C-alpha cells in the first residue's frame, strides 16, 4: 500500500509539473509550430495527411497491399528471396510530410515528439513485438555517433521499451566498420554497402541463444540494413529476428532491388 501511494504521489507530481510547464512553454506541433494539446502531438490537418501503415500488408516485410490477398500472403520480393528478418513492420510511409518528422528528429535534435513516435511504432508493431525478449537498436559507427551526438535508433528503442517493458540491449550488436550513406543507392548497392558491417559482441553471444529479438531503426528503405544486422544475430543463436521501423519507403516490390 505504501508503494502504491508513493508511486501515485510521484505520478501526480509529474502531471502537475507537466501542466505548469505547458503553461510556461505551450506545446507546439513538431511539424508546423502551431499550438497543440500536448507535447509531440500534431494538429488535425497534419494528422490527417500522415500515411499510417496498416494491414493488408506482406506478412513478412510489411509492404502494404492495395487490397486483401489472403492470410499470410507475401510480396514478390519476399517470395523470390526469403529474408533473414522473420517479420518487419513500420508505422509510417516515408512521404514528404513524415520525412520532415524523421529528419528533424534524426539530425535536428527535435526530440519532443519521441513518445508519440514510439506510440505509433508500438501500434504498428504489435505482431513483431509479441513474445520478444529484447529490443536491439541498429548501431552507429563510433565516429558517426560522435558527430551526430546520439543514436536515433537507441532513442526510439528506449521509448518503445517504456511502452512495452521489453528491455533494450544496445551492447549486443556493433557496427564494426563505417559505411557510406545509403541515400540514393540501389537495393543491390545498399546490400553490398552494409554486408559484413555488423557483428555480435561477446555479451551478445552469451545472451542471444534461443531468444526472439526486435531490431529498431528510424527508416526502412529496401531492408538491407535490417538484413545485415539480422544475419550475425541469427548465427549467434537468436531464434527469430524481427524488425520495427518508424517509417518505410513504400514502392512496388521488385526482387531485383
Amino acid at each position: 500500500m505504501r508503494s502504491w501511494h508513493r508511486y501515485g504521489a510521484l505520478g501526480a507530481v509529474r502531471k502537475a509539473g507537466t501542466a505548469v510547464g505547458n503553461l510556461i512553454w505551450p506545446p507546439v506541433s513538431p511539424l508546423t509550430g502551431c499550438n497543440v494539446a500536448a507535447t509531440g502531438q500534431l494538429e488535425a490537418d497534419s494528422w490527417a495527411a500522415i500515411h499510417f501503415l496498416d494491414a493488408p500488408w506482406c506478412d513478412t516485410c510489411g509492404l502494404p497491399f492495395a487490397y486483401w490477398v489472403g492470410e499470410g500472403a507475401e510480396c514478390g520480393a519476399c517470395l523470390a528471396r526469403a529474408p533473414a528478418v522473420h517479420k518487419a513492420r513500420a508505422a509510417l510511409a516515408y512521404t514528404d510530410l513524415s520525412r520532415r518528422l524523421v529528419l528533424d528528429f534524426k539530425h535536428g535534435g527535435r526530440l519532443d515528439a519521441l513518445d508519440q513516435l514510439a506510440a505509433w511504432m508500438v501500434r504498428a508493431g504489435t505482431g513483431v513485438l509479441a513474445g520478444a525478449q529484447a529490443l536491439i537498436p541498429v548501431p552507429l559507427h563510433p565516429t558517426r555517433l560522435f558527430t551526430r551526438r546520439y543514436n536515433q535508433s537507441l532513442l526510439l528503442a528506449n521509448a518503445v521499451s517504456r511502452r512495452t517493458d521489453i528491455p533494450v540491449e544496445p551492447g549486443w550488436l556493433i557496427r564494426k566498420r563505417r559505411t557510406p550513406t545509403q541515400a540514393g543507392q540501389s537495393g543491390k548497392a545498399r546490400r553490398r554497402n552494409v554486408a559484413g558491417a555488423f557483428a555480435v559482441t561477446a555479451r551478445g553471444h552469451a545472451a542471444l541463444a534461443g531468444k526472439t529479438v526486435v531490431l529498431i531503426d528510424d527508416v526502412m528503405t529496401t531492408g538491407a540494413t535490417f538484413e545485415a544486422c539480422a544475419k550475425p544475430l541469427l548465427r549467434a543463436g537468436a531464434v527469430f529476428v524481427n524488425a520495427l521501423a518508424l517509417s518505410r519507403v513504400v514502392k512496388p516490390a521488385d526482387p531485383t532491388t
Side-chain angles (χ1 to χ4, degrees), residues 99-115:
R99 180 176 181 271
R100 286 170 52 198
L101 271 177
V102 173
L103 294 184
D104 282 352
F105 163 64
K106 185 173 183 175
H107 299 296
R110 188 74 187 262
L111 307 182
D112 51 327
L114 180 58
D115 189 59

Side-chain angles (χ1 to χ4, degrees), residues 22 53 103 130 167 175 196 209 251:
N22 286 346
L53 298 178
L103 294 184
R175 190 184 293 251
K251 56 185 178 180

Side-chain angles (χ1 to χ4, degrees), residues 131 133 205 207-213 233-234 236-240:
Q133 292 141 307
H205 276 284
L208 274 165
K211 287 195 168 54
T212 294
V213 300
L233 291 169
L234 290 168
V239 175
F240 294 113

Side-chain angles (χ1 to χ4, degrees), residues 183-227:
Q185 298 195 44
S186 68
K188 289 181 179 178
R190 285 169 179 266
R191 287 194 294 273
R192 286 195 300 267
N193 189 32
V194 293
F198 300 94
V200 175
T201 64
R203 180 179 166 191
H205 276 284
L208 274 165
K211 287 195 168 54
T212 294
V213 300
V214 181
L215 291 161
I216 302 289
D217 206 0
D218 57 333
V219 181
M220 175 182 174
T221 304
T222 63
T225 298
F226 279 146
E227 286 290 289

Side-chain angles (χ1 to χ4, degrees), residues 73-232:
E74 292 183 296
C75 68
C78 290
L79 288 170
R81 184 192 303 113
V85 172
H86 181 58
K87 290 184 186 296
R89 298 290 184 265
L92 313 173
Y94 194 66
T95 62
D96 288 343
L97 193 61
S98 62
R99 180 176 181 271
R100 286 170 52 198
L101 271 177
V102 173
L103 294 184
D104 282 352
F105 163 64
K106 185 173 183 175
H107 299 296
R110 188 74 187 262
L111 307 182
D112 51 327
L114 180 58
D115 189 59
Q116 183 62 67
L117 302 180
W120 295 339
M121 292 175 70
V122 171
R123 174 185 173 277
T126 301
V128 301
L129 293 168
Q133 292 141 307
L135 305 176
I136 301 179
V138 171
L140 292 177
H141 189 270
T143 58
R144 184 157 289 162
L145 180 60
F146 178 79
T147 58
R148 191 174 292 172
R149 296 177 289 117
Y150 60 85
N151 180 355
Q152 73 281 355
S153 300
L154 176 57
L155 294 182
L156 288 171
N158 285 335
V160 169
S161 177
R162 287 192 291 271
R163 288 181 167 269
T164 61
D165 291 327
I166 303 171
V168 180
E169 298 294 348
W172 290 4
L173 187 71
I174 59 170
R175 190 184 293 251
K176 62 183 182 180
R177 64 178 176 83
R178 180 164 181 167
T179 54
T181 179
Q182 297 275 68
Q185 298 195 44
S186 68
K188 289 181 179 178
R190 285 169 179 266
R191 287 194 294 273
R192 286 195 300 267
N193 189 32
V194 293
F198 300 94
V200 175
T201 64
R203 180 179 166 191
H205 276 284
L208 274 165
K211 287 195 168 54
T212 294
V213 300
V214 181
L215 291 161
I216 302 289
D217 206 0
D218 57 333
V219 181
M220 175 182 174
T221 304
T222 63
T225 298
F226 279 146
E227 286 290 289
C229 290
K231 289 173 182 178

